[in-house]
Amino acid sequence: MKWNIFKKSTTPKVKRSKTREWVDAILFAVIASTIIRGLLFSAYAIPSGSMEGTQLTGDYLFVSKISYGPRLAFTPISIPFTEPKVYGVKTYWDIIKLPYWRLPGFTEVKKGDIVVFNKPEEADPSYNLPIDERTALIKRCQATPGDVLTIVNGQVYINGKAAKNAEKQQTSYTVVTDGTDINPQIIHDFNITILRQLGVNTSEMIIPSEHIADMKGYSNIKSISPFIAKAGVIDSEIFPHNEKFKWNLDNFGPLVLPKRGMTIPLNDSTMILYRRAIELYENNKVEVNGKDILINGKKADSYTFKMNYYWMMGDNRHDSLDSRYWGYVPEDHIVGKAIVTIMSIDSSESFFSKIRWSRIFKPIN
């Protein structure tokens, strides 16, 4: 007996309507874009000047999620390409919550990488946000798990050695004039940011380093000197927000970055520095009863970290809300590595000058 496996079916095919074809096409596009955006790549816009010099406000970046390994969604049921809340209504369903899980990547987060991550400050219970619904930030990684980080007069040191500064890293300066205002066109052309007035003729300004010499050449400028917060003077806004550690933006540490498997003794000092990680990021119940420290109801003299932690800072050092304010970044908050600027728009320029053509498809480093 011969079997004709190529025999045409006599059952007539049901022709799909135009509406059905459009629905299928849109559904496929949404699923495909969600997979690509969720597991492979995503776009990110620079909303502020914290990376100014290196990355500019209005830059649109291509972020690789596969570099460090795609992080699977904590809240898998959500409306893609939307904010966590639209007109006060959640765009995600948090009844189903998945644990942290990351697929293998090509590399690990390295010092000097420009990284996109979720804002750790929003781990505070008052925000009530799942990790993947927290604000996305972009900063440069300064320290990796196990590193000892110190900042001395604005210079970052890792394990006792000065860290390499970004090529176009920026900071602020004390500018003293003779009382004559600085030409607004100069402020614009040199991309200068005036942070605050320090006195009648004195201001704190962020000036790109390539324009310092030019600024000093103007007759109404009496002096320009780096603005550095003095060592030993506490800034209550700076982590760990405790008078025991008199740290500020420019003089900070030493601080050991927690590393998976690293064990620390529990005492007054370590609780100030690491309680946030133990309690909020690693989901333990922490209680202090007199001199006793209880972890999940049991007395503990030490703690072993479950995750790796990183230190992220903006290249625009005096105009960046970063790890100096809210501390280390846990690995489950890492989204991906910024790899290329795909578009750049300067909203302050005229219509025909808005696009920064020289930055299109510019590699990020």
Side-chain angles (χ1 to χ4, degrees):
M1 180 181 292
K2 295 183 178 179
W3 296 91
N4 187 359
I5 61 174
F6 299 105
K7 185 178 180 180
K8 293 183 179 180
S9 172
T10 57
T11 305
K13 292 183 178 180
V14 178
K15 187 177 181 179
R16 292 183 297 179
S17 66
K18 288 290 184 183
T19 302
R20 174 64 186 277
E21 288 179 355
W22 273 104
V23 170
D24 288 350
I26 292 171
L27 183 61
F28 174 79
V30 169
I31 292 173
S33 61
T34 300
I35 292 173
I36 292 171
R37 183 174 180 270
L39 297 180
L40 303 178
F41 304 97
S42 67
Y44 179 82
I46 300 287
S48 68
S50 70
M51 289 293 291
E52 200 75 24
T54 305
Q55 298 300 140
L56 307 181
T57 304
D59 281 356
Y60 290 81
L61 315 179
F62 206 44
V63 179
S64 167
K65 295 184 176 182
I66 59 176
S67 292
Y68 305 137
R71 184 190 65 182
L72 301 191
F74 295 91
T75 49
I77 302 178
S78 63
I79 301 175
F81 315 115
T82 60
E83 294 296 319
K85 285 187 178 181
V86 176
Y87 298 110
V89 179
K90 289 182 179 180
T91 58
Y92 60 93
W93 194 37
D94 55 3
I95 291 179
I96 296 178
K97 294 181 181 179
L98 300 180
Y100 169 55
W101 190 34
R102 189 182 296 274
L103 297 175
F106 297 129
T107 185
E108 297 179 345
V109 180
K110 294 183 175 63
K111 288 182 275 290
D113 285 358
I114 294 180
V115 182
V116 172
F117 57 95
N118 296 110
K119 191 176 184 180
E121 185 181 25
E122 294 178 2
D124 294 351
S126 58
Y127 288 93
N128 191 28
L129 283 171
I131 294 173
D132 52 351
E133 299 295 340
R134 294 168 191 164
T135 304
L137 300 176
I138 182 167
K139 311 288 179 188
R140 189 182 295 275
C141 178
Q142 293 292 325
T144 52
D147 283 341
V148 179
L149 174 130
T150 312
I151 305 174
V152 179
N153 294 331
Q155 173 63 53
V156 172
Y157 290 82
I158 305 299
N159 303 322
K161 296 181 180 179
K164 182 181 178 181
N165 293 325
E167 182 181 354
K168 293 189 176 181
Q169 181 175 303
Q170 294 184 172
T171 188
S172 63
Y173 297 84
T174 300
V175 179
V176 181
T177 69
D178 62 5
T180 306
D181 290 339
I182 300 173
N183 188 330
Q185 191 62 46
I186 294 172
I187 300 294
H188 176 271
D189 291 346
F190 288 177
N191 197 26
I192 293 171
T193 301
I194 301 175
L195 292 181
R196 56 178 175 159
Q197 200 74 20
L198 299 174
V200 178
N201 301 326
T202 307
S203 302
E204 183 186 356
M205 302 181 183
I206 295 174
I207 309 172
S209 58
E210 64 266 28
H211 297 307
I212 295 294
D214 295 326
M215 284 289 289
K216 288 181 176 179
Y218 290 106
S219 59
N220 61 330
I221 304 295
K222 295 180 68 176
S223 67
I224 298 178
S225 57
F227 184 93
I228 297 175
K230 293 181 180 179
V233 178
I234 187 172
D235 184 339
S236 60
E237 293 186 348
I238 298 301
F239 180 84
H241 319 288
N242 188 286
E243 61 183 11
K244 188 178 179 67
F245 297 90
K246 293 179 171 55
W247 298 347
N248 55 52
L249 278 177
D250 297 315
N251 287 279
F252 184 99
L255 175 70
V256 180
L257 273 293
K259 183 178 182 178
R260 186 188 303 115
M262 184 177 88
T263 300
I264 59 167
L266 295 179
N267 52 49
D268 291 346
S269 294
T270 57
M271 285 296 288
I272 292 170
L273 294 174
Y274 301 111
R275 180 169 180 168
R276 184 174 184 85
I278 297 169
E279 192 167 30
L280 288 183
Y281 302 145
E282 303 202 350
N283 302 310
N284 295 289
K285 183 180 179 181
V286 179
E287 299 172 275
V288 179
N289 185 6
K291 293 184 178 181
D292 294 336
I293 297 171
L294 285 75
I295 307 291
N296 299 321
K298 297 180 180 180
K299 184 179 177 182
D301 297 319
S302 63
Y303 181 79
T304 301
F305 291 102
K306 302 171 186 174
M307 285 195 294
N308 288 321
Y309 292 80
Y310 303 85
W311 193 261
M312 307 291 184
M313 291 172 62
D315 286 353
N316 193 1
R317 290 295 166 79
H318 282 180
D319 194 17
S320 174
L321 291 173
D322 51 36
S323 283
R324 291 170 293 177
Y325 289 86
W326 25 255
Y328 30 71
V329 179
E331 65 178 70
D332 62 1
H333 282 56
I334 301 293
V335 175
K337 181 181 182 180
I339 55 175
V340 66
T341 302
I342 55 176
M343 175 60 74
S344 184
I345 298 175
D346 188 346
S347 60
S348 67
E349 293 290 348
S350 62
F351 179 78
F352 294 104
S353 303
K354 281 186 180 296
I355 297 178
R356 303 183 183 107
W357 295 101
S358 63
R359 298 188 64 78
I360 295 179
F361 294 112
K362 182 180 179 181
I364 294 172
N365 49 50

